[in-house]
PDB file of all heavy atoms in Angstrom:
ATOM      1  N   ARG V 336      -0.375 -12.694  18.320  1.00  0.00           N
ATOM      2  CA  ARG V 336       0.305 -13.853  17.777  1.00  0.00           C
ATOM      3  C   ARG V 336       0.390 -13.744  16.268  1.00  0.00           C
ATOM      4  O   ARG V 336      -0.595 -13.406  15.608  1.00  0.00           O
ATOM      5  CB  ARG V 336      -0.415 -15.133  18.183  1.00  0.00           C
ATOM      6  CG  ARG V 336       0.245 -16.398  17.683  1.00  0.00           C
ATOM      7  CD  ARG V 336      -0.395 -17.615  18.317  1.00  0.00           C
ATOM      8  NE  ARG V 336      -1.807 -17.709  17.997  1.00  0.00           N
ATOM      9  CZ  ARG V 336      -2.620 -18.626  18.506  1.00  0.00           C
ATOM     10  NH1 ARG V 336      -2.164 -19.511  19.378  1.00  0.00           N
ATOM     11  NH2 ARG V 336      -3.898 -18.640  18.163  1.00  0.00           N
ATOM     12  N   LEU V 337       1.549 -14.041  15.744  1.00  0.00           N
ATOM     13  CA  LEU V 337       1.779 -14.060  14.314  1.00  0.00           C
ATOM     14  C   LEU V 337       2.151 -15.471  13.904  1.00  0.00           C
ATOM     15  O   LEU V 337       3.062 -16.071  14.478  1.00  0.00           O
ATOM     16  CB  LEU V 337       2.906 -13.103  13.918  1.00  0.00           C
ATOM     17  CG  LEU V 337       2.705 -11.626  14.265  1.00  0.00           C
ATOM     18  CD1 LEU V 337       3.957 -10.835  13.919  1.00  0.00           C
ATOM     19  CD2 LEU V 337       1.502 -11.062  13.532  1.00  0.00           C
ATOM     20  N   VAL V 338       1.452 -15.986  12.924  1.00  0.00           N
ATOM     21  CA  VAL V 338       1.690 -17.340  12.453  1.00  0.00           C
ATOM     22  C   VAL V 338       2.034 -17.288  10.979  1.00  0.00           C
ATOM     23  O   VAL V 338       1.205 -16.897  10.156  1.00  0.00           O
ATOM     24  CB  VAL V 338       0.473 -18.248  12.696  1.00  0.00           C
ATOM     25  CG1 VAL V 338       0.755 -19.655  12.179  1.00  0.00           C
ATOM     26  CG2 VAL V 338       0.125 -18.289  14.171  1.00  0.00           C
ATOM     27  N   GLU V 339       3.251 -17.692  10.655  1.00  0.00           N
ATOM     28  CA  GLU V 339       3.704 -17.721   9.272  1.00  0.00           C
ATOM     29  C   GLU V 339       3.464 -19.097   8.667  1.00  0.00           C
ATOM     30  O   GLU V 339       3.484 -20.114   9.363  1.00  0.00           O
ATOM     31  CB  GLU V 339       5.202 -17.397   9.169  1.00  0.00           C
ATOM     32  CG  GLU V 339       5.601 -16.071   9.774  1.00  0.00           C
ATOM     33  CD  GLU V 339       6.242 -16.231  11.131  1.00  0.00           C
ATOM     34  OE1 GLU V 339       5.874 -17.179  11.854  1.00  0.00           O
ATOM     35  OE2 GLU V 339       7.117 -15.412  11.478  1.00  0.00           O
ATOM     36  N   SER V 340       3.277 -19.103   7.371  1.00  0.00           N
ATOM     37  CA  SER V 340       3.138 -20.346   6.643  1.00  0.00           C
ATOM     38  C   SER V 340       3.557 -20.116   5.201  1.00  0.00           C
ATOM     39  O   SER V 340       3.690 -18.982   4.752  1.00  0.00           O
ATOM     40  CB  SER V 340       1.709 -20.889   6.711  1.00  0.00           C
ATOM     41  OG  SER V 340       0.793 -19.998   6.105  1.00  0.00           O
ATOM     42  N   GLY V 341       3.741 -21.195   4.479  1.00  0.00           N
ATOM     43  CA  GLY V 341       4.032 -21.110   3.062  1.00  0.00           C
ATOM     44  C   GLY V 341       5.459 -21.408   2.669  1.00  0.00           C
ATOM     45  O   GLY V 341       5.764 -21.494   1.478  1.00  0.00           O
ATOM     46  N   GLY V 342       6.335 -21.552   3.641  1.00  0.00           N
ATOM     47  CA  GLY V 342       7.700 -21.897   3.312  1.00  0.00           C
ATOM     48  C   GLY V 342       7.800 -23.306   2.767  1.00  0.00           C
ATOM     49  O   GLY V 342       6.884 -24.117   2.900  1.00  0.00           O
ATOM     50  N   GLY V 343       8.918 -23.585   2.134  1.00  0.00           N
ATOM     51  CA  GLY V 343       9.109 -24.902   1.576  1.00  0.00           C
ATOM     52  C   GLY V 343      10.299 -24.948   0.650  1.00  0.00           C
ATOM     53  O   GLY V 343      11.212 -24.121   0.738  1.00  0.00           O
ATOM     54  N   LEU V 344      10.273 -25.920  -0.228  1.00  0.00           N
ATOM     55  CA  LEU V 344      11.350 -26.143  -1.182  1.00  0.00           C
ATOM     56  C   LEU V 344      10.952 -25.620  -2.555  1.00  0.00           C
ATOM     57  O   LEU V 344       9.834 -25.856  -3.015  1.00  0.00           O
ATOM     58  CB  LEU V 344      11.673 -27.632  -1.281  1.00  0.00           C
ATOM     59  CG  LEU V 344      12.089 -28.345   0.007  1.00  0.00           C
ATOM     60  CD1 LEU V 344      12.234 -29.829  -0.248  1.00  0.00           C
ATOM     61  CD2 LEU V 344      13.383 -27.767   0.553  1.00  0.00           C
ATOM     62  N   VAL V 345      11.873 -24.935  -3.197  1.00  0.00           N
ATOM     63  CA  VAL V 345      11.620 -24.417  -4.532  1.00  0.00           C
ATOM     64  C   VAL V 345      12.945 -24.341  -5.282  1.00  0.00           C
ATOM     65  O   VAL V 345      13.999 -24.117  -4.677  1.00  0.00           O
ATOM     66  CB  VAL V 345      10.926 -23.041  -4.473  1.00  0.00           C
ATOM     67  CG1 VAL V 345      11.827 -22.009  -3.809  1.00  0.00           C
ATOM     68  CG2 VAL V 345      10.475 -22.580  -5.843  1.00  0.00           C
ATOM     69  N   GLN V 346      12.897 -24.539  -6.578  1.00  0.00           N
ATOM     70  CA  GLN V 346      14.102 -24.446  -7.379  1.00  0.00           C
ATOM     71  C   GLN V 346      14.354 -23.000  -7.792  1.00  0.00           C
ATOM     72  O   GLN V 346      13.438 -22.175  -7.789  1.00  0.00           O
ATOM     73  CB  GLN V 346      13.998 -25.336  -8.614  1.00  0.00           C
ATOM     74  CG  GLN V 346      12.926 -24.925  -9.606  1.00  0.00           C
ATOM     75  CD  GLN V 346      12.864 -25.862 -10.790  1.00  0.00           C
ATOM     76  OE1 GLN V 346      13.488 -26.918 -10.806  1.00  0.00           O
ATOM     77  NE2 GLN V 346      12.104 -25.480 -11.803  1.00  0.00           N
ATOM     78  N   PRO V 347      15.591 -22.659  -8.131  1.00  0.00           N
ATOM     79  CA  PRO V 347      15.858 -21.300  -8.602  1.00  0.00           C
ATOM     80  C   PRO V 347      14.965 -20.924  -9.777  1.00  0.00           C
ATOM     81  O   PRO V 347      14.739 -21.720 -10.678  1.00  0.00           O
ATOM     82  CB  PRO V 347      17.329 -21.356  -9.018  1.00  0.00           C
ATOM     83  CG  PRO V 347      17.910 -22.445  -8.178  1.00  0.00           C
ATOM     84  CD  PRO V 347      16.807 -23.471  -8.059  1.00  0.00           C
ATOM     85  N   GLY V 348      14.472 -19.699  -9.736  1.00  0.00           N
ATOM     86  CA  GLY V 348      13.540 -19.228 -10.743  1.00  0.00           C
ATOM     87  C   GLY V 348      12.097 -19.508 -10.420  1.00  0.00           C
ATOM     88  O   GLY V 348      11.203 -18.984 -11.103  1.00  0.00           O
ATOM     89  N   GLY V 349      11.856 -20.302  -9.411  1.00  0.00           N
ATOM     90  CA  GLY V 349      10.508 -20.643  -9.029  1.00  0.00           C
ATOM     91  C   GLY V 349       9.850 -19.578  -8.178  1.00  0.00           C
ATOM     92  O   GLY V 349      10.432 -18.530  -7.890  1.00  0.00           O
ATOM     93  N   SER V 350       8.634 -19.869  -7.763  1.00  0.00           N
ATOM     94  CA  SER V 350       7.832 -18.928  -7.002  1.00  0.00           C
ATOM     95  C   SER V 350       7.242 -19.601  -5.779  1.00  0.00           C
ATOM     96  O   SER V 350       7.015 -20.815  -5.754  1.00  0.00           O
ATOM     97  CB  SER V 350       6.695 -18.357  -7.859  1.00  0.00           C
ATOM     98  OG  SER V 350       7.189 -17.638  -8.970  1.00  0.00           O
ATOM     99  N   LEU V 351       6.980 -18.793  -4.786  1.00  0.00           N
ATOM    100  CA  LEU V 351       6.358 -19.260  -3.563  1.00  0.00           C
ATOM    101  C   LEU V 351       5.688 -18.077  -2.891  1.00  0.00           C
ATOM    102  O   LEU V 351       6.132 -16.930  -3.054  1.00  0.00           O
ATOM    103  CB  LEU V 351       7.402 -19.877  -2.633  1.00  0.00           C
ATOM    104  CG  LEU V 351       6.928 -20.906  -1.605  1.00  0.00           C
ATOM    105  CD1 LEU V 351       6.399 -22.153  -2.315  1.00  0.00           C
ATOM    106  CD2 LEU V 351       8.067 -21.287  -0.677  1.00  0.00           C
ATOM    107  N   ARG V 352       4.635 -18.348  -2.157  1.00  0.00           N
ATOM    108  CA  ARG V 352       3.947 -17.290  -1.432  1.00  0.00           C
ATOM    109  C   ARG V 352       3.908 -17.604   0.055  1.00  0.00           C
ATOM    110  O   ARG V 352       3.449 -18.679   0.460  1.00  0.00           O
ATOM    111  CB  ARG V 352       2.519 -17.080  -1.949  1.00  0.00           C
ATOM    112  CG  ARG V 352       1.864 -15.828  -1.368  1.00  0.00           C
ATOM    113  CD  ARG V 352       0.493 -15.548  -1.947  1.00  0.00           C
ATOM    114  NE  ARG V 352      -0.525 -16.444  -1.395  1.00  0.00           N
ATOM    115  CZ  ARG V 352      -1.833 -16.188  -1.420  1.00  0.00           C
ATOM    116  NH1 ARG V 352      -2.275 -15.061  -1.985  1.00  0.00           N
ATOM    117  NH2 ARG V 352      -2.693 -17.056  -0.915  1.00  0.00           N
ATOM    118  N   LEU V 353       4.365 -16.652   0.845  1.00  0.00           N
ATOM    119  CA  LEU V 353       4.315 -16.757   2.285  1.00  0.00           C
ATOM    120  C   LEU V 353       3.099 -16.016   2.821  1.00  0.00           C
ATOM    121  O   LEU V 353       2.666 -15.015   2.252  1.00  0.00           O
ATOM    122  CB  LEU V 353       5.573 -16.169   2.928  1.00  0.00           C
ATOM    123  CG  LEU V 353       6.923 -16.699   2.449  1.00  0.00           C
ATOM    124  CD1 LEU V 353       8.043 -16.024   3.231  1.00  0.00           C
ATOM    125  CD2 LEU V 353       6.992 -18.213   2.571  1.00  0.00           C
ATOM    126  N   SER V 354       2.580 -16.512   3.922  1.00  0.00           N
ATOM    127  CA  SER V 354       1.452 -15.877   4.581  1.00  0.00           C
ATOM    128  C   SER V 354       1.783 -15.646   6.043  1.00  0.00           C
ATOM    129  O   SER V 354       2.533 -16.408   6.653  1.00  0.00           O
ATOM    130  CB  SER V 354       0.192 -16.739   4.478  1.00  0.00           C
ATOM    131  OG  SER V 354      -0.183 -16.958   3.135  1.00  0.00           O
ATOM    132  N   CYS V 355       1.211 -14.607   6.599  1.00  0.00           N
ATOM    133  CA  CYS V 355       1.350 -14.317   8.013  1.00  0.00           C
ATOM    134  C   CYS V 355       0.023 -13.799   8.522  1.00  0.00           C
ATOM    135  O   CYS V 355      -0.441 -12.740   8.086  1.00  0.00           O
ATOM    136  CB  CYS V 355       2.455 -13.294   8.259  1.00  0.00           C
ATOM    137  SG  CYS V 355       2.569 -12.749   9.981  1.00  0.00           S
ATOM    138  N   ALA V 356      -0.557 -14.521   9.444  1.00  0.00           N
ATOM    139  CA  ALA V 356      -1.841 -14.156  10.023  1.00  0.00           C
ATOM    140  C   ALA V 356      -1.645 -13.648  11.439  1.00  0.00           C
ATOM    141  O   ALA V 356      -1.002 -14.304  12.262  1.00  0.00           O
ATOM    142  CB  ALA V 356      -2.789 -15.348  10.012  1.00  0.00           C
ATOM    143  N   ALA V 357      -2.205 -12.489  11.713  1.00  0.00           N
ATOM    144  CA  ALA V 357      -2.130 -11.887  13.038  1.00  0.00           C
ATOM    145  C   ALA V 357      -3.436 -12.108  13.784  1.00  0.00           C
ATOM    146  O   ALA V 357      -4.524 -11.956  13.221  1.00  0.00           O
ATOM    147  CB  ALA V 357      -1.839 -10.395  12.933  1.00  0.00           C
ATOM    148  N   SER V 358      -3.317 -12.447  15.046  1.00  0.00           N
ATOM    149  CA  SER V 358      -4.487 -12.625  15.882  1.00  0.00           C
ATOM    150  C   SER V 358      -4.160 -12.175  17.294  1.00  0.00           C
ATOM    151  O   SER V 358      -2.997 -12.056  17.663  1.00  0.00           O
ATOM    152  CB  SER V 358      -4.963 -14.078  15.881  1.00  0.00           C
ATOM    153  OG  SER V 358      -3.972 -14.937  16.416  1.00  0.00           O
ATOM    154  N   GLY V 359      -5.195 -11.928  18.065  1.00  0.00           N
ATOM    155  CA  GLY V 359      -5.005 -11.529  19.443  1.00  0.00           C
ATOM    156  C   GLY V 359      -5.644 -10.196  19.744  1.00  0.00           C
ATOM    157  O   GLY V 359      -6.575  -9.760  19.057  1.00  0.00           O
ATOM    158  N   ASN V 360      -5.126  -9.554  20.762  1.00  0.00           N
ATOM    159  CA  ASN V 360      -5.707  -8.326  21.281  1.00  0.00           C
ATOM    160  C   ASN V 360      -4.951  -7.119  20.745  1.00  0.00           C
ATOM    161  O   ASN V 360      -3.918  -6.720  21.289  1.00  0.00           O
ATOM    162  CB  ASN V 360      -5.686  -8.337  22.812  1.00  0.00           C
ATOM    163  CG  ASN V 360      -6.398  -7.155  23.416  1.00  0.00           C
ATOM    164  OD1 ASN V 360      -7.217  -6.507  22.759  1.00  0.00           O
ATOM    165  ND2 ASN V 360      -6.087  -6.864  24.673  1.00  0.00           N
ATOM    166  N   PHE V 361      -5.460  -6.541  19.667  1.00  0.00           N
ATOM    167  CA  PHE V 361      -4.903  -5.308  19.135  1.00  0.00           C
ATOM    168  C   PHE V 361      -6.009  -4.524  18.453  1.00  0.00           C
ATOM    169  O   PHE V 361      -7.019  -5.086  18.017  1.00  0.00           O
ATOM    170  CB  PHE V 361      -3.736  -5.569  18.174  1.00  0.00           C
ATOM    171  CG  PHE V 361      -4.095  -6.398  16.979  1.00  0.00           C
ATOM    172  CD1 PHE V 361      -4.515  -5.795  15.803  1.00  0.00           C
ATOM    173  CD2 PHE V 361      -4.002  -7.775  17.018  1.00  0.00           C
ATOM    174  CE1 PHE V 361      -4.837  -6.548  14.692  1.00  0.00           C
ATOM    175  CE2 PHE V 361      -4.328  -8.547  15.914  1.00  0.00           C
ATOM    176  CZ  PHE V 361      -4.746  -7.931  14.758  1.00  0.00           C
ATOM    177  N   LEU V 362      -5.789  -3.217  18.352  1.00  0.00           N
ATOM    178  CA  LEU V 362      -6.807  -2.343  17.793  1.00  0.00           C
ATOM    179  C   LEU V 362      -6.623  -2.114  16.302  1.00  0.00           C
ATOM    180  O   LEU V 362      -7.583  -2.167  15.543  1.00  0.00           O
ATOM    181  CB  LEU V 362      -6.817  -1.000  18.530  1.00  0.00           C
ATOM    182  CG  LEU V 362      -7.131  -1.074  20.023  1.00  0.00           C
ATOM    183  CD1 LEU V 362      -7.080   0.313  20.638  1.00  0.00           C
ATOM    184  CD2 LEU V 362      -8.489  -1.711  20.249  1.00  0.00           C
ATOM    185  N   ASN V 363      -5.413  -1.831  15.900  1.00  0.00           N
ATOM    186  CA  ASN V 363      -5.135  -1.649  14.494  1.00  0.00           C
ATOM    187  C   ASN V 363      -3.660  -1.910  14.240  1.00  0.00           C
ATOM    188  O   ASN V 363      -2.848  -1.931  15.157  1.00  0.00           O
ATOM    189  CB  ASN V 363      -5.542  -0.252  14.008  1.00  0.00           C
ATOM    190  CG  ASN V 363      -4.748   0.846  14.670  1.00  0.00           C
ATOM    191  OD1 ASN V 363      -4.868   1.089  15.867  1.00  0.00           O
ATOM    192  ND2 ASN V 363      -3.921   1.528  13.870  1.00  0.00           N
ATOM    193  N   VAL V 364      -3.356  -2.072  12.973  1.00  0.00           N
ATOM    194  CA  VAL V 364      -2.010  -2.424  12.556  1.00  0.00           C
ATOM    195  C   VAL V 364      -1.353  -1.229  11.890  1.00  0.00           C
ATOM    196  O   VAL V 364      -1.892  -0.687  10.925  1.00  0.00           O
ATOM    197  CB  VAL V 364      -2.034  -3.629  11.595  1.00  0.00           C
ATOM    198  CG1 VAL V 364      -0.626  -3.967  11.128  1.00  0.00           C
ATOM    199  CG2 VAL V 364      -2.689  -4.829  12.261  1.00  0.00           C
ATOM    200  N   TYR V 365      -0.202  -0.838  12.406  1.00  0.00           N
ATOM    201  CA  TYR V 365       0.564   0.238  11.786  1.00  0.00           C
ATOM    202  C   TYR V 365       1.428  -0.277  10.640  1.00  0.00           C
ATOM    203  O   TYR V 365       1.580   0.397   9.622  1.00  0.00           O
ATOM    204  CB  TYR V 365       1.454   0.929  12.813  1.00  0.00           C
ATOM    205  CG  TYR V 365       0.705   1.675  13.878  1.00  0.00           C
ATOM    206  CD1 TYR V 365       0.830   1.320  15.223  1.00  0.00           C
ATOM    207  CD2 TYR V 365      -0.120   2.747  13.565  1.00  0.00           C
ATOM    208  CE1 TYR V 365       0.147   2.007  16.208  1.00  0.00           C
ATOM    209  CE2 TYR V 365      -0.802   3.437  14.551  1.00  0.00           C
ATOM    210  CZ  TYR V 365      -0.664   3.065  15.873  1.00  0.00           C
ATOM    211  OH  TYR V 365      -1.342   3.755  16.854  1.00  0.00           O
ATOM    212  N   ARG V 366       1.965  -1.447  10.825  1.00  0.00           N
ATOM    213  CA  ARG V 366       2.876  -2.013   9.852  1.00  0.00           C
ATOM    214  C   ARG V 366       2.918  -3.518  10.009  1.00  0.00           C
ATOM    215  O   ARG V 366       2.879  -4.032  11.121  1.00  0.00           O
ATOM    216  CB  ARG V 366       4.297  -1.452  10.031  1.00  0.00           C
ATOM    217  CG  ARG V 366       5.339  -2.056   9.094  1.00  0.00           C
ATOM    218  CD  ARG V 366       6.753  -1.856   9.640  1.00  0.00           C
ATOM    219  NE  ARG V 366       6.923  -2.524  10.922  1.00  0.00           N
ATOM    220  CZ  ARG V 366       7.210  -3.818  11.065  1.00  0.00           C
ATOM    221  NH1 ARG V 366       7.369  -4.600   9.991  1.00  0.00           N
ATOM    222  NH2 ARG V 366       7.342  -4.342  12.272  1.00  0.00           N
ATOM    223  N   MET V 367       3.005  -4.202   8.908  1.00  0.00           N
ATOM    224  CA  MET V 367       3.320  -5.620   8.903  1.00  0.00           C
ATOM    225  C   MET V 367       4.349  -5.865   7.814  1.00  0.00           C
ATOM    226  O   MET V 367       4.350  -5.187   6.789  1.00  0.00           O
ATOM    227  CB  MET V 367       2.093  -6.496   8.667  1.00  0.00           C
ATOM    228  CG  MET V 367       1.078  -6.472   9.790  1.00  0.00           C
ATOM    229  SD  MET V 367      -0.258  -7.675   9.561  1.00  0.00           S
ATOM    230  CE  MET V 367       0.620  -9.204   9.922  1.00  0.00           C
ATOM    231  N   GLY V 368       5.199  -6.821   8.049  1.00  0.00           N
ATOM    232  CA  GLY V 368       6.209  -7.089   7.046  1.00  0.00           C
ATOM    233  C   GLY V 368       7.030  -8.312   7.353  1.00  0.00           C
ATOM    234  O   GLY V 368       6.719  -9.090   8.259  1.00  0.00           O
ATOM    235  N   TRP V 369       8.080  -8.448   6.565  1.00  0.00           N
ATOM    236  CA  TRP V 369       8.904  -9.639   6.596  1.00  0.00           C
ATOM    237  C   TRP V 369      10.362  -9.300   6.758  1.00  0.00           C
ATOM    238  O   TRP V 369      10.871  -8.359   6.140  1.00  0.00           O
ATOM    239  CB  TRP V 369       8.736 -10.448   5.306  1.00  0.00           C
ATOM    240  CG  TRP V 369       7.355 -10.982   5.106  1.00  0.00           C
ATOM    241  CD1 TRP V 369       6.325 -10.380   4.450  1.00  0.00           C
ATOM    242  CD2 TRP V 369       6.856 -12.236   5.567  1.00  0.00           C
ATOM    243  NE1 TRP V 369       5.219 -11.178   4.467  1.00  0.00           N
ATOM    244  CE2 TRP V 369       5.514 -12.330   5.152  1.00  0.00           C
ATOM    245  CE3 TRP V 369       7.412 -13.289   6.286  1.00  0.00           C
ATOM    246  CZ2 TRP V 369       4.716 -13.440   5.433  1.00  0.00           C
ATOM    247  CZ3 TRP V 369       6.617 -14.385   6.572  1.00  0.00           C
ATOM    248  CH2 TRP V 369       5.290 -14.456   6.146  1.00  0.00           C
ATOM    249  N   PHE V 370      11.014 -10.067   7.597  1.00  0.00           N
ATOM    250  CA  PHE V 370      12.456 -10.099   7.712  1.00  0.00           C
ATOM    251  C   PHE V 370      12.923 -11.503   7.368  1.00  0.00           C
ATOM    252  O   PHE V 370      12.141 -12.443   7.370  1.00  0.00           O
ATOM    253  CB  PHE V 370      12.911  -9.744   9.128  1.00  0.00           C
ATOM    254  CG  PHE V 370      12.671  -8.318   9.519  1.00  0.00           C
ATOM    255  CD1 PHE V 370      11.409  -7.892   9.900  1.00  0.00           C
ATOM    256  CD2 PHE V 370      13.711  -7.404   9.535  1.00  0.00           C
ATOM    257  CE1 PHE V 370      11.182  -6.580  10.277  1.00  0.00           C
ATOM    258  CE2 PHE V 370      13.496  -6.082   9.913  1.00  0.00           C
ATOM    259  CZ  PHE V 370      12.229  -5.678  10.280  1.00  0.00           C
ATOM    260  N   ARG V 371      14.198 -11.642   7.096  1.00  0.00           N
ATOM    261  CA  ARG V 371      14.758 -12.964   6.892  1.00  0.00           C
ATOM    262  C   ARG V 371      16.133 -13.037   7.532  1.00  0.00           C
ATOM    263  O   ARG V 371      16.839 -12.041   7.647  1.00  0.00           O
ATOM    264  CB  ARG V 371      14.832 -13.329   5.416  1.00  0.00           C
ATOM    265  CG  ARG V 371      15.757 -12.467   4.575  1.00  0.00           C
ATOM    266  CD  ARG V 371      15.602 -12.816   3.102  1.00  0.00           C
ATOM    267  NE  ARG V 371      16.515 -12.058   2.257  1.00  0.00           N
ATOM    268  CZ  ARG V 371      16.506 -12.094   0.937  1.00  0.00           C
ATOM    269  NH1 ARG V 371      15.633 -12.865   0.298  1.00  0.00           N
ATOM    270  NH2 ARG V 371      17.379 -11.366   0.243  1.00  0.00           N
ATOM    271  N   GLN V 372      16.489 -14.240   7.931  1.00  0.00           N
ATOM    272  CA  GLN V 372      17.757 -14.435   8.605  1.00  0.00           C
ATOM    273  C   GLN V 372      18.231 -15.860   8.392  1.00  0.00           C
ATOM    274  O   GLN V 372      17.531 -16.807   8.748  1.00  0.00           O
ATOM    275  CB  GLN V 372      17.634 -14.136  10.099  1.00  0.00           C
ATOM    276  CG  GLN V 372      18.943 -14.190  10.854  1.00  0.00           C
ATOM    277  CD  GLN V 372      18.786 -13.765  12.293  1.00  0.00           C
ATOM    278  OE1 GLN V 372      17.712 -13.887  12.877  1.00  0.00           O
ATOM    279  NE2 GLN V 372      19.855 -13.235  12.879  1.00  0.00           N
ATOM    280  N   ALA V 373      19.404 -15.986   7.812  1.00  0.00           N
ATOM    281  CA  ALA V 373      20.045 -17.281   7.692  1.00  0.00           C
ATOM    282  C   ALA V 373      20.895 -17.530   8.929  1.00  0.00           C
ATOM    283  O   ALA V 373      21.362 -16.585   9.572  1.00  0.00           O
ATOM    284  CB  ALA V 373      20.909 -17.328   6.436  1.00  0.00           C
ATOM    285  N   PRO V 374      21.097 -18.785   9.282  1.00  0.00           N
ATOM    286  CA  PRO V 374      21.935 -19.076  10.449  1.00  0.00           C
ATOM    287  C   PRO V 374      23.304 -18.431  10.334  1.00  0.00           C
ATOM    288  O   PRO V 374      23.990 -18.566   9.320  1.00  0.00           O
ATOM    289  CB  PRO V 374      22.028 -20.603  10.436  1.00  0.00           C
ATOM    290  CG  PRO V 374      20.781 -21.040   9.741  1.00  0.00           C
ATOM    291  CD  PRO V 374      20.534 -19.991   8.684  1.00  0.00           C
ATOM    292  N   GLY V 375      23.692 -17.705  11.370  1.00  0.00           N
ATOM    293  CA  GLY V 375      24.979 -17.043  11.394  1.00  0.00           C
ATOM    294  C   GLY V 375      25.009 -15.670  10.765  1.00  0.00           C
ATOM    295  O   GLY V 375      26.028 -14.982  10.853  1.00  0.00           O
ATOM    296  N   ASP V 376      23.928 -15.264  10.127  1.00  0.00           N
ATOM    297  CA  ASP V 376      23.862 -13.964   9.481  1.00  0.00           C
ATOM    298  C   ASP V 376      22.960 -13.028  10.268  1.00  0.00           C
ATOM    299  O   ASP V 376      22.153 -13.449  11.097  1.00  0.00           O
ATOM    300  CB  ASP V 376      23.343 -14.084   8.048  1.00  0.00           C
ATOM    301  CG  ASP V 376      24.318 -14.786   7.128  1.00  0.00           C
ATOM    302  OD1 ASP V 376      25.520 -14.788   7.426  1.00  0.00           O
ATOM    303  OD2 ASP V 376      23.864 -15.331   6.097  1.00  0.00           O
TER     304      ASP V 376
END
């Protein structure tokens, strides 16, 4: 299970930090990362 957090509202030029916590049954992580998708894109 991957749970993201940290999204919200920010003005241009601002900063924000996203987090993603992995849990469950796995031995090791080869890769973790972020994708993004706007509606229709």
Side-chain angles (χ1 to χ4, degrees):
R336 181 171 61 185
L337 300 175
V338 180
E339 303 102 328
S340 63
L344 302 174
V345 63
Q346 65 181 10
S350 298
L351 205 65
R352 190 176 76 160
L353 306 182
S354 300
C355 174
S358 62
N360 186 20
F361 60 91
L362 299 179
N363 64 293
V364 178
Y365 294 119
R366 177 201 62 83
M367 293 187 73
W369 296 91
F370 292 78
R371 64 187 183 186
Q372 185 175 26
D376 291 336

